[in-house]
């Protein structure tokens, strides 16, 4: 395999940034606890006791590299927010319908009446928190403010469409990026509201955790080490500047026969696994998150799948 030497594979395998990762985990947990505690004073259905911070990507399996991003679901158990999400969607639809009706039936605008000097304007008030309007977008906005309050001034919190991205060179390190996705929590399901579909998309990691642990019991920690190797190679390839979909990589290597992980030579095992993947129809592989689905059927394994397949194909069949 051109450009992928034994030295490179072995250096990735032995690299250990677990101490740094634990430090980041502790800082993120502390930040979230402080932020949610601050919010709980004004929002009665938000509290530290009714939320869970769930690692999602490399920090879920432990296959962390220096380039890893720290991604979390922040799930809240709140029937009120869930109700508000669906009601907000209906209200927005009705508003758009009213706006379209008003536009289509508009007349020549009349001159605006002047306000009398003694007119009472006390009814014009600042926006206040309203229970029935508080949804996941409101929660995300308040979390951003609470995070900023509890971070040092050189850290930045970006408010993206469905997540908050935190960077802080002085607080978390120059290359560290943290993503937090606020969502709802129902039992073991993390729920994200999809407005265009008028419903929730559910994610459950129980089966994923169970199968990762089963594979480790059968082949040892080399399974996680191999995930690290594939992560680093994909990330460092010039065509790709992001980490691969972790559930796809975990699924890919979970479906590799256990005997290919045997032996103490990680480079030889890497070669055997690459050869196997290039000679096998991986579309028949099962998703580690839901074994009832194939790897190309599960929504959780579909992001950047095309790039991942091209990457796998670029690892030409080689001989040790």
């Amino acid at each position: 395999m051109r450009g992928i030497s034994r030295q490179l594979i072995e250096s990735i395998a032995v690299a250990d940034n677990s101490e740094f990762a634990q430090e980041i985990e502790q800082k993120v947990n502390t930040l979230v606890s402080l932020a949610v505690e601050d919010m709980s004073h004004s929002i009665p259905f938000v509290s530290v006791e009714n939320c869970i911070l769930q690692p999602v990507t490399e920090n879920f399996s432990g296959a962390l590299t220096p380039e890893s991003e720290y991604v979390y679901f922040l799930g809240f158990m709140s029937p009120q927010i869930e109700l508000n999400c669906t009601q907000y969607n209906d209200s927005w639809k009705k508003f758009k319908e009213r706006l379209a009706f008003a536009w289509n039936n508009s007349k020549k605008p009349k001159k605006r009446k002047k306000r009398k000097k003694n007119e009472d304007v006390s009814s014009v008030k600042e926006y206040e928190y309203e229970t029935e309007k508080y949804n996941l977008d409101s929660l995300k906005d308040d979390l951003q403010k609470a995070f900023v309050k509890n971070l040092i001034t050189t850290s930045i919190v970006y408010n993206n469409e469905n997540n908050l991205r935190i960077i802080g060179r002085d607080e978390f390190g120059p290359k560290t990026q943290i993503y937090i996705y606020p969502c709802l929590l129902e039992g073991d399901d993390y729920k994200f509201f999809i407005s265009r579909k008028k419903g929730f998309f559910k994610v459950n990691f129980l089966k994923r955790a169970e199968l990762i642990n089963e594979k480790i019991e059968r082949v040892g920690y080399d399974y996680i080490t191999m995930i690290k190797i594939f992560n680093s190679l994909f990330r460092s390839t010039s065509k790709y500047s992001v980490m691969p979909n972790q559930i796809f990589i975990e699924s890919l290597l979970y479906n590799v026969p256990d005997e290919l992980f045997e032996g103490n030579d990680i480079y030889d095992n890497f070669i055997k696994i690459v050869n196997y993947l290039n000679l096998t129809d991986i579309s028949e592989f099962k998703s580690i998150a839901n074994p009832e689905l194939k790897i190309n059927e599960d929504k959780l394994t579909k992001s950047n799948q095309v790039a991942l397949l091209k990457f796998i194909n670029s690892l030409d069949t080689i001989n040790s």
Side-chain angles (χ1 to χ4, degrees), residues 33-300:
S33 296
L34 291 172
V36 174
E37 179 64 30
D38 287 345
M39 291 168 60
S40 68
H41 298 307
S42 57
I43 307 165
F45 43 86
V46 170
S47 69
V48 174
E49 291 75 25
N50 76 348
C51 72
I52 292 178
L53 186 68
Q54 171 65 59
V56 176
T57 53
E58 302 97 275
N59 51 346
F60 182 88
S61 66
L64 290 153
T65 69
E67 298 83 15
S68 289
E69 296 171 343
Y70 293 79
V71 182
Y72 303 86
F73 291 164
L74 181 55
F76 288 85
M77 294 172 276
S78 176
Q80 182 65 58
I81 296 179
E82 181 170 351
L83 175 65
N84 293 348
C85 286
T86 54
Q87 287 184 336
Y88 174 80
N89 188 64
D90 291 340
S91 300
W92 176 242
K93 180 182 178 182
K94 291 176 182 177
F95 170 75
K96 289 193 290 184
E97 289 173 350
R98 291 197 302 270
L99 185 64
F101 177 82
W103 177 261
N104 293 330
N105 295 277
S106 60
K107 297 180 180 179
K108 185 177 180 180
K110 297 179 180 180
K111 291 184 178 179
R112 187 175 179 181
K113 293 182 179 180
K114 292 183 178 180
R115 179 184 293 164
K116 296 178 181 178
K117 290 184 179 179
N118 61 347
E119 185 177 349
D120 181 16
V121 294
S122 61
S123 61
V124 181
K125 296 180 179 179
E126 243 179 79
Y127 169 79
E128 295 178 355
Y129 153 76
E130 296 179 69
T131 300
E132 67 275 9
K133 293 183 179 179
Y134 199 88
N135 56 28
L136 281 174
D137 286 333
S138 313
L139 178 67
K140 180 162 64 71
D141 293 343
D142 284 346
L143 277 169
Q144 181 190 28
K145 296 172 186 174
F147 285 161
V148 169
K149 175 184 174 183
N150 288 284
L151 290 168
I152 62 177
T153 55
T154 55
S155 295
I156 302 174
V157 183
Y158 294 93
N159 195 331
N160 300 325
E161 183 179 0
N162 56 4
N163 67 75
L164 297 170
R165 179 167 71 99
I166 303 171
I167 57 173
R169 182 185 185 91
D170 300 325
E171 202 153 10
F172 301 104
K175 295 182 179 180
T176 305
Q177 297 199 56
I178 298 160
Y179 292 84
I180 295 178
Y181 289 76
C183 58
L184 296 173
L185 182 63
E186 182 179 347
D188 296 311
D189 293 332
Y190 293 87
K191 301 170 63 175
F192 298 85
F193 187 70
I194 311 297
S195 58
R196 66 181 181 275
K197 294 186 177 180
K198 303 178 185 178
F200 289 90
F201 175 67
K202 296 181 181 181
V203 179
N204 189 309
F205 288 149
L206 284 183
K207 180 58 68 172
R208 178 188 178 195
E210 177 188 330
L211 295 183
I212 286 175
N213 288 328
E214 283 183 9
K215 190 74 170 180
I216 292 173
E217 287 178 7
R218 296 199 305 269
V219 306
Y221 198 73
D222 279 357
Y223 171 59
I224 301 300
T225 301
M226 200 60 66
I227 295 174
K228 281 174 53 179
I229 291 170
F230 275 75
N231 282 344
S232 292
L233 292 179
F234 182 88
R235 180 71 170 80
S236 62
T237 302
S238 59
K239 293 181 181 179
Y240 315 113
S241 58
V242 296
M243 275 294 179
N245 180 312
Q246 284 305 284
I247 300 179
F248 181 92
I249 293 293
E250 291 164 8
S251 300
L252 191 75
L253 294 171
Y254 177 83
N255 283 273
V256 169
D258 292 351
E259 56 266 24
L260 298 186
F261 289 89
E262 292 177 356
N264 297 321
D265 192 320
I266 194 69
Y267 182 68
D268 284 347
N269 289 349
F270 171 71
I271 291 172
K272 290 185 291 185
I273 289 171
V274 169
N275 286 341
Y276 173 80
L277 292 174
N278 275 291
L279 297 172
T280 306
D281 182 8
I282 64 175
S283 66
E284 295 298 316
F285 285 6
K286 302 297 184 181
S287 168
I288 198 169
N290 184 356
E292 294 181 2
L293 298 175
K294 294 180 180 178
I295 201 170
N296 59 351
E297 295 173 339
D298 190 348
K299 292 180 180 179
L300 297 180

